[in-house]
Amino acid sequence: GSKCIELAINLVQLLVHKLKVDNMSVEKLQGMTSMVTSLARLFAVLHTAVKFDALHMLTTLLSQKESVRMTLSPSCFIEVLSSEKLHALLLAECMMSILGEDWLSEDYKTQDSQNALPVDKFVLLVLESARVEVAVLLNELAYLKCESSKTSQTAEAISQKQRNLAILFSLIERIIKMISNASGGEGVPSQAIRESTIMHAIAGLNETISLVLDFLQDAKDHAQWKGDDLLAAARIVGSYLAEAPCACKEKITNLLEFIFSIEGQDEPSPFYSICFMLPMLSQITMEADGCRILASFGGYKAVIDCIVKMTEQDGMMIDNGSMFLACDTIINLLSKRNNGHVPVDSYFIRLLKSLVTWAGISDASSVTMTASCLCAMLLDLTSEEFLLSCSDFDSKTLGSLSELIVRSLKQDIPGDDGEQFNQKQIIVSGNHANLLI
């Protein structure tokens, strides 16, 4: 807050606005963007008009995606202190957050492009640096958390490492999305990144996810299921398995029940850890083996709990993306019920009520059809008499359920929507459809 700081910021602000990025050398760009952390710190603590000067400079510097990219040279990652490497990785994560995941793989042309790191090498450098730091932090965290005497210093060390791990997980999660985008959905790279680089990155990601699963296994062995670091680990595992559902299959099979029990520090019961796994679950349950894995420990109950929680308070928590994935998982499971995977229990009564609530607050045809399809499948497992005998299911709910199925049968389906067509076929063939109408 001194006068010197104010004058220095004013002077640098003039330079930032006068100089053009295209005319700046790599050294000058490195000098300019190295101020980002210092400016951010000033912006956080100052309470004068200088705060807004710092804000304007941060906006200018971070909006120059080419300049930030040029400053993240190999020297930022190789043979430097871990703390400095973390700062460089944090900057990369910020840029991908602001400008999108593909920022990492875009090919920028500048005057000093002959000195710039090629796209493929840059991508692998950032990924490998993040992977190394993750491996170190996971080992350190596992050791610190298992110490018998935990002093306040140890607790603070754990907290700092958890924050650093969260940054690295976020960066790797964005790289996972970047790799998915670069593959073009059909294995053909759509960016400047080469296919060989994509395969190298996938191999590295497989190794890192395996280490994260080992970290979760260690937590399971020590009866530790609550913590934001464990929740973050579940999230990155879920993000990767959404793209590669068959990866690390043996470890996932052994850990899935434990992952379903993980709670964030402020969560009263597991929720987000299950939501993170839904993209993978909706894919693996398309096969009988995936259904057996989920049903082996009653995992479908946790998925139903997610649906119920999202529709509580008149649907204030509903995330349609997660709802569709959860419903697809249960639909897949019920479609294979003849193999004896799914016993009928009270969880399905709660699910019926939640589906009626979901469909009642949305006019989307996809919501109506998905909810009705799952309701029809559930009705085939029970009877109207049994439903009405349940204390938390009354004739009003049954009437709403009937209206939902009638609405779905009257609904027109777009000609190219094969999924809704298949769902309608299930509804029509349901044993209870005619009874409810």
Side-chain angles (χ1 to χ4, degrees):
S2 67
K3 187 65 176 177
C4 289
I5 288 291
E6 182 178 349
L7 292 173
I9 288 180
N10 289 337
L11 177 60
V12 174
Q13 188 177 24
L14 288 172
L15 292 172
V16 168
H17 288 292
K18 290 293 183 183
L19 295 174
K20 295 181 181 295
V21 172
D22 291 342
N23 296 327
M24 293 176 69
S25 65
V26 173
E27 290 75 15
K28 290 178 181 177
L29 289 171
Q30 289 175 334
M32 298 295 275
T33 54
S34 66
M35 297 186 299
V36 168
T37 302
S38 299
L39 287 171
R41 188 178 299 114
L42 289 173
F43 177 69
V45 300
L46 289 178
H47 299 287
T48 65
V50 179
K51 181 189 196 87
F52 298 102
D53 293 332
L55 173 62
H56 295 157
M57 275 195 288
L58 280 173
T59 303
T60 301
L61 290 172
L62 288 176
S63 65
Q64 301 293 342
K65 56 184 179 180
E66 298 90 347
S67 66
V68 177
R69 171 65 172 278
M70 293 293 289
T71 62
L72 290 177
S73 61
S75 61
C76 294
F77 301 100
I78 301 174
E79 295 181 356
V80 297
L81 294 174
S82 179
S83 59
E84 298 301 329
K85 190 181 297 185
L86 278 170
H87 278 294
L89 293 170
L90 172 59
L91 183 56
E93 195 279 334
C94 287
M95 295 305 296
M96 295 177 81
S97 174
I98 295 169
L99 299 168
E101 287 78 18
D102 292 340
W103 170 81
L104 193 67
S105 60
E106 291 177 3
D107 192 9
Y108 300 116
K109 304 298 182 183
T110 66
Q111 283 188 335
D112 294 289
S113 59
Q114 66 272 16
N115 298 319
L117 197 65
V119 170
D120 295 273
K121 290 185 178 180
F122 179 66
V123 168
L124 292 178
L125 177 63
V126 173
L127 175 58
E128 293 304 309
S129 298
R131 290 182 58 240
V132 169
E133 294 301 307
V134 164
V136 171
L137 282 172
L138 289 176
N139 283 331
E140 291 177 345
L141 270 174
Y143 171 75
L144 287 172
K145 291 171 73 173
C146 291
E147 282 190 331
S148 56
S149 58
K150 289 187 169 57
T151 64
S152 59
Q153 184 177 3
T154 302
E156 176 57 33
I158 290 175
S159 179
Q160 182 59 56
K161 292 183 187 300
Q162 287 175 334
R163 288 193 291 269
N164 291 339
L165 187 64
I167 293 170
L168 295 171
F169 276 171
S170 180
L171 174 60
I172 292 177
E173 189 173 345
R174 296 184 189 283
I175 292 176
I176 290 171
K177 292 180 180 178
M178 183 274 293
I179 293 295
S180 178
N181 293 340
S183 297
E186 298 178 356
V188 180
S190 59
Q191 300 288 330
I193 185 171
R194 294 179 299 181
E195 186 173 0
S196 59
T197 302
I198 292 176
M199 299 308 296
H200 193 146
I202 290 174
L205 289 169
N206 273 330
E207 183 177 330
T208 295
I209 297 303
S210 182
L211 287 177
V212 175
L213 290 171
D214 289 340
F215 175 71
L216 292 175
Q217 179 66 56
D218 185 73
K220 176 185 176 181
D221 294 341
H222 290 87
Q224 300 166 348
W225 65 87
K226 194 174 186 69
D228 290 340
D229 56 337
L230 298 179
L231 190 60
R235 172 169 174 160
I236 194 171
V237 168
S239 294
Y240 187 63
L241 295 180
E243 305 297 336
C246 294
C248 306
K249 184 175 180 180
E250 183 177 352
K251 289 184 177 181
I252 286 295
T253 300
N254 295 331
L255 279 171
L256 191 57
E257 182 176 6
F258 171 72
I259 292 174
F260 275 22
S261 72
I262 291 174
E263 300 171 5
Q265 196 62 44
D266 299 323
E267 280 190 295
S269 61
F271 175 71
Y272 289 109
S273 58
I274 303 160
C275 289
F276 296 150
M277 305 304 292
L278 287 176
M280 181 269 288
L281 292 174
S282 67
Q283 295 181 69
I284 68 168
T285 51
M286 294 176 70
E287 303 294 335
D289 188 49
C291 291
R292 279 192 292 270
I293 292 172
L294 185 60
S296 64
F297 61 94
Y300 68 92
K301 296 179 182 180
V303 176
I304 291 174
D305 270 336
C306 278
I307 295 176
V308 172
K309 288 177 181 177
M310 282 190 283
T311 56
E312 288 175 343
Q313 301 176 353
D314 296 324
M316 295 297 290
M317 290 179 60
I318 284 182
D319 169 14
N320 276 339
S322 295
M323 283 291 289
F324 282 122
L325 291 170
C327 288
D328 285 345
T329 299
I330 301 300
I331 288 173
N332 291 340
L333 204 65
L334 292 179
S335 68
K336 298 171 179 62
R337 64 183 182 272
N338 291 334
N339 294 330
H341 299 316
V342 188
V344 179
D345 53 36
S346 60
Y347 275 83
F348 291 123
I349 306 301
R350 299 169 60 207
L351 178 55
L352 277 172
K353 295 180 64 177
S354 295
L355 291 171
V356 170
T357 299
W358 181 36
I361 60 178
S362 175
D363 294 328
S365 62
S366 55
V367 171
T368 299
M369 200 60 67
T370 299
S372 184
C373 173
L374 186 45
C375 284
M377 297 181 78
L378 291 171
L379 288 171
D380 278 345
L381 300 177
T382 183
S383 66
E384 181 179 343
E385 291 74 21
F386 174 76
L387 290 176
L388 292 175
S389 69
C390 297
S391 59
D392 55 351
F393 195 97
D394 53 27
S395 57
K396 182 180 178 181
T397 305
L398 184 62
S400 298
L401 180 57
S402 302
E403 292 173 4
L404 168 61
I405 292 181
V406 170
R407 190 163 78 245
S408 67
L409 291 173
K410 293 180 178 179
Q411 183 170 282
D412 292 329
I413 300 175
D416 58 347
D417 197 327
E419 183 177 4
Q420 285 196 38
F421 177 80
N422 291 335
Q423 289 174 341
K424 191 165 187 176
Q425 291 298 107
I426 293 174
I427 299 167
V428 170
S429 63
N431 295 333
H432 286 72
N434 293 329
L435 174 63
L436 289 173
I437 293 173

